[in-house]
Amino acid sequence: MRVEHARMHAKHRGHEAMHAEMVLILIATLVVAQLLLVQWKQRHPRSYNMVTLFQMWVVPLYFTVKLHWWRFLVIWILFSAVTAFVTFRATRKPLVQTTPRLVYKWFLLIYKISYATGIIGYMAVMFTLFGLNLLFKIKPEDAMDFGISLLFYGLYYGVLERDFAEMCADYMASTIGFYSESGMPTKHLSDSVCAVCGQQIFVDVSEEGIIENTYRLSCNHVFHEFCIRGWCIVGKKQTCPYCKEKVDLKRMFSNPWERPHVMYGQLLDWLRYLVAWQPVIIGLVQGINYILGLE
């Protein structure tokens, strides 16, 4: 045993400087990559969001196939198929009147499922750490695997859903004409029209339309309550769809049980970097170490 230990020390003797150099390369790459990503996001947000969405969609798929996670692959295929259909509908011109509500309903459903799944997964992990799994005669490794799996599903599909929803919201709003990312809208907004879905806000009994609660922003523009909530929470927008005045989310969600959804959305935004870009940065670091002959 001592002989093997001595051989190992002899083999790795003098590697301390190499290991320190590898750590410095890792730190420098992380800092430079973060600065570049921030600048890219500020200067060219559209291309940044599209590339990030592609990364979010493809990177986990690679590890899924490599590690034979077939259950995740089946769910990924089902989610991708329905989302592809919804995205196709959202990007068609002219836009069908029922499409905005279809888009927001689908992504709101995924948002709620991913939110609940993440919470259950987190609780399962906490119960395992406190040993409560023993009350149900569940092995710690099984309980932890169950909790981490649910937590991963909830966070991953929560992030992916929000990115697709934001893209669809931009396309639909631009097509309807009451919203423009830069410049003035192409249409004048009437007080009787919802800028998110383009349909009448108030309709008579004999007329065809959507009858539901309305919500007035601080800028005095009125929308269907479902539409403006979908725009802000599902579509990740914090400005009026017409005049771009900032929306007070605390005022909109006065119910304390609804506020965690806003905080959950902010958590998903932070995790996007870890899922989409962290594997790329680690791969870049390994490539630099290989080129420099560091092991």
Side-chain angles (χ1 to χ4, degrees), residues 8-275:
M8 186 184 70
H9 272 282
K11 181 179 179 181
H12 292 278
R13 185 175 298 157
H15 285 196
E16 291 81 5
M18 183 182 297
H19 293 163
E21 188 175 351
M22 293 172 67
V23 171
L24 291 176
I25 291 174
L26 174 62
I27 295 175
T29 305
L30 288 173
V31 172
V32 173
Q34 184 65 28
L35 292 175
L36 291 176
L37 288 174
V38 170
Q39 289 297 317
W40 183 12
K41 185 176 181 179
Q42 291 178 349
R43 297 174 183 271
H44 306 283
R46 192 176 187 87
S47 62
Y48 171 84
N49 291 334
M50 291 297 293
V51 174
T52 302
L53 177 58
F54 180 77
Q55 290 284 107
M56 286 289 304
W57 188 60
V58 171
V59 170
L61 178 63
Y62 167 76
F63 291 104
T64 297
V65 176
K66 184 178 180 180
L67 300 174
H68 306 294
W69 294 342
W70 305 124
R71 181 173 51 191
F72 178 86
L73 183 61
V74 171
I75 297 175
W76 183 90
I77 291 174
L78 293 175
F79 171 84
S80 298
V82 179
T83 301
F85 170 75
V86 172
T87 304
F88 175 81
R89 289 282 301 272
T91 55
R92 294 308 92 193
K93 294 182 179 181
L95 189 70
V96 179
Q97 287 188 346
T98 57
T99 297
R101 303 185 71 81
L102 169 67
V103 171
Y104 287 128
K105 281 183 178 179
W106 165 247
F107 287 119
L108 183 61
L109 173 64
I110 298 299
Y111 182 84
K112 290 182 177 180
I113 292 176
S114 64
Y115 180 80
T117 303
I119 292 296
I120 294 174
Y122 176 77
M123 292 176 62
V125 171
M126 290 295 101
F127 284 171
T128 305
L129 292 177
F130 285 105
L132 298 179
N133 58 292
L134 300 177
L135 297 176
F136 303 95
K137 298 181 179 180
I138 302 176
K139 296 180 179 179
E141 55 271 20
D142 294 338
M144 186 62 72
D145 288 344
F146 174 76
I148 292 177
S149 297
L150 287 184
L151 192 59
F152 173 75
Y153 277 95
L155 294 176
Y156 173 71
Y157 286 106
V159 174
L160 201 60
E161 163 269 326
R162 284 174 65 81
D163 284 350
F164 272 109
E166 182 182 22
M167 181 184 68
C168 291
D170 286 340
Y171 270 106
M172 292 188 302
S174 299
T175 302
I176 293 173
F178 295 116
Y179 171 80
S180 176
E181 285 191 74
S182 59
M184 294 297 294
T186 58
K187 291 183 180 179
H188 174 70
L189 180 63
S190 171
D191 293 337
S192 62
V193 175
C194 174
V196 177
C197 66
Q199 298 190 42
Q200 294 288 327
I201 294 179
F202 303 105
V203 296
D204 295 331
V205 177
S206 59
E207 293 180 338
E208 182 180 354
I210 301 171
I211 302 177
E212 64 171 77
N213 295 331
T214 60
Y215 188 86
R216 183 184 296 274
L217 298 179
S218 57
C219 57
N220 287 326
H221 290 128
V222 183
F223 306 90
H224 293 123
E225 185 177 13
F226 179 85
C227 293
I228 194 60
R229 285 172 178 265
W231 172 264
C232 293
I233 295 299
V234 181
K236 294 198 307 181
K237 305 297 183 183
Q238 296 186 22
T239 58
C240 172
Y242 184 69
C243 68
K244 298 185 178 65
E245 181 175 321
K246 188 171 180 61
V247 175
D248 185 1
L249 294 179
K250 292 183 179 179
R251 175 174 169 265
M252 177 180 291
F253 302 102
S254 56
N255 187 341
W257 291 106
E258 294 179 337
R259 292 180 185 175
H261 292 276
V262 179
M263 298 174 59
Y264 182 69
Q266 295 172 349
L267 172 63
L268 296 183
D269 291 339
W270 178 77
L271 287 171
R272 182 178 292 100
Y273 168 78
L274 296 178
V275 177

